[in-house]
Amino acid sequence: MNIYMSYGIIFVILLLLELAYFKIADKFNIIDKPNERSSHSTIVLRGGGIIFLLGAWVWSVAYGFQYPWFLLGLTLVAGVSFIDDIHSLPDSVRLVVQFTAAALAFYQLGMLSGEWFETNGVFVGGLLILLALIVYVGATNVINFMDGINGITAGYALAVLVSLALVSGVADSNLIAVSILSVLVFCLFNFRPKGKAKCFAGDVGSIGIAFIMLFLIGKVIIATGDLTYLVFLLVYGVDGVLTICHRIMLHENLGEAHRKHAYQIMANELRIGHVKVSLLYMAMQLLVSLGFIYVCPDSVLCHWMYLIGAILVLSVAYIAFKKKYYHLHEEYLASLKK
């Protein structure tokens, strides 16, 4: 059986699994009801992003359980996120699970081995692992926060996974390919105009796909020794981090839902279609990533210059956008108080 036929069969299996989940979600009333913070106005099935976890299991069964500790961590964090989608869990529980799952991914990456500490020293190696765990969990939650309109999680994941396919080794090509197939299945039901989505990803989806992408980026970073491959998450990173900074400046509770991300203002206040906004974020990240891969020479110094330059350009664009259009969101908030 050739590889394309194998991928075709896997796509059909994933499609059937997603449709089976819809039956379960409908039976047990796993839905997302709109509220004043939502970017949708109709009831939609929640948790369709469970297909990303199921895709990882299908990949493992098909290709021999190459990364068992990664799969265990993904199952743990996505499983708890699915429970949280149905019945809200305390932040402390979710964070403990997320750090535990990240530690399992690090074990799979070889970062908790004796060789790692021999190379970096016990103290420095321990500090690096702690910092990396914080970044891993923080990035997972930023990606989760960015899941707010139809198609944005799927579109952005495709941009990241395609970029990873261009730089990752042969050992990871099947995992990337099956992950792309699971995202495409999800796109069939979510990458639609406002009010047309069959399902939302839920935390199980956004956190699940974040865990997969971060693990794969971690593999590239360890293989190359080059941290700048985090550029593959730069568009989300700039929007997410600057929005958090903005909310801190406004003395807001970061745990409360909000609509202050740039993409939310585009979709809600500027009335730009969900699909268009999602495609914009997808295109921006793909442009940044492809520039990093093909335009920038393969040197660490150039990679750092590119990363810093891209951060500055995106940050200036974000701030300029907020300065011009944030007043529309303030008007929306004022209308809620009337």
Side-chain angles (χ1 to χ4, degrees):
M1 184 183 299
N2 64 48
I3 191 170
Y4 298 108
M5 185 174 293
S6 298
Y7 288 158
I9 292 172
I10 289 173
F11 181 84
V12 172
I13 291 172
L14 292 173
L15 179 59
L16 292 175
L17 288 172
E18 184 77 309
L19 292 173
Y21 171 73
F22 290 162
K23 294 287 187 181
I24 294 171
D26 189 50
K27 180 177 180 179
F28 292 97
N29 205 33
I30 305 174
I31 58 175
D32 195 310
K33 295 182 179 179
N35 55 48
E36 69 274 6
R37 302 295 184 186
S38 301
S39 295
H40 65 286
S41 55
T42 58
I43 294 176
V44 182
L45 295 177
R46 178 185 292 183
I50 198 172
I51 196 63
F52 308 143
L53 170 63
L54 297 177
W57 272 97
V58 169
W59 162 77
S60 295
V61 171
Y63 295 99
F65 291 89
Q66 297 176 46
Y67 303 135
W69 296 107
F70 154 74
L71 184 63
L72 177 59
L74 172 62
T75 303
L76 179 63
V77 75
V80 169
S81 297
F82 183 66
I83 294 171
D84 188 52
D85 281 332
I86 301 172
H87 299 291
S88 184
L89 296 173
D91 291 343
S92 57
V93 172
R94 289 188 285 110
L95 282 175
V96 167
V97 170
Q98 288 172 11
F99 273 101
T100 302
L104 289 168
F106 281 18
Y107 184 78
Q108 187 71 74
L109 292 169
M111 293 178 63
L112 301 182
S113 65
E115 183 180 349
W116 168 269
F117 289 102
E118 289 175 8
T119 302
N120 298 282
V122 175
F123 180 72
V124 174
L127 284 179
L128 288 174
I129 289 172
L130 178 59
L131 178 60
L133 281 170
I134 293 171
V135 171
Y136 199 106
V137 172
T140 299
N141 283 288
V142 167
I143 293 170
N144 183 35
F145 296 156
M146 293 294 291
D147 180 35
I149 60 173
N150 295 355
I152 195 164
T153 292
Y156 196 81
L158 286 175
V160 175
L161 291 168
V162 167
S163 302
L164 282 165
L166 297 173
V167 300
S168 294
V170 176
D172 299 321
S173 60
N174 287 325
L175 173 57
I176 294 171
V178 174
S179 296
I180 289 173
L181 291 176
S182 66
V183 172
L184 290 175
V185 167
F186 179 69
C187 282
L188 294 175
F189 306 101
N190 178 261
F191 211 113
R192 301 178 178 185
K194 181 180 179 180
K196 302 292 185 178
K198 169 74 173 180
C199 69
F200 292 151
D203 285 359
V204 62
S206 55
I207 288 180
I209 197 64
F211 194 87
I212 294 170
M213 294 189 298
L214 286 164
F215 175 76
L216 290 167
I217 291 172
K219 288 211 72 183
V220 174
I221 290 173
I222 289 174
T224 61
D226 190 350
L227 277 171
T228 60
Y229 279 95
L230 288 170
V231 74
F232 288 169
L233 294 172
L234 191 60
V235 174
Y236 262 20
V238 169
D239 190 321
V241 171
L242 290 183
T243 298
I244 290 172
C245 292
H246 186 197
R247 297 191 68 203
I248 291 173
M249 292 170 61
L250 295 172
H251 306 291
E252 292 186 354
N253 181 354
L254 298 181
E256 291 183 355
H258 67 96
R259 291 181 12 170
K260 288 183 170 61
H261 288 290
Y263 79 86
Q264 290 173 315
I265 292 176
M266 292 179 193
N268 297 316
E269 279 71 34
L270 294 179
R271 307 292 183 184
I272 301 173
H274 286 206
V275 170
K276 292 180 180 178
V277 176
S278 297
L279 286 172
L280 174 63
Y281 271 69
M282 178 182 177
M284 286 194 301
Q285 183 58 65
L286 202 54
L287 181 64
V288 170
S289 298
L290 294 180
F292 179 83
I293 296 170
Y294 292 113
V295 176
C296 190
D298 191 16
S299 72
V300 175
L301 177 60
C302 184
H303 281 180
W304 277 106
M305 291 176 64
Y306 184 96
L307 176 63
I308 293 170
I311 290 173
L312 291 174
V313 170
L314 290 173
S315 298
V316 169
Y318 174 93
I319 293 169
F321 176 83
K322 279 295 192 74
K323 280 185 173 292
K324 185 171 183 179
Y325 295 112
Y326 183 69
H327 70 93
L328 297 175
H329 182 67
E330 292 179 320
E331 293 170 6
Y332 159 76
L333 293 177
S335 70
L336 295 179
K337 299 176 180 179
K338 293 180 181 179

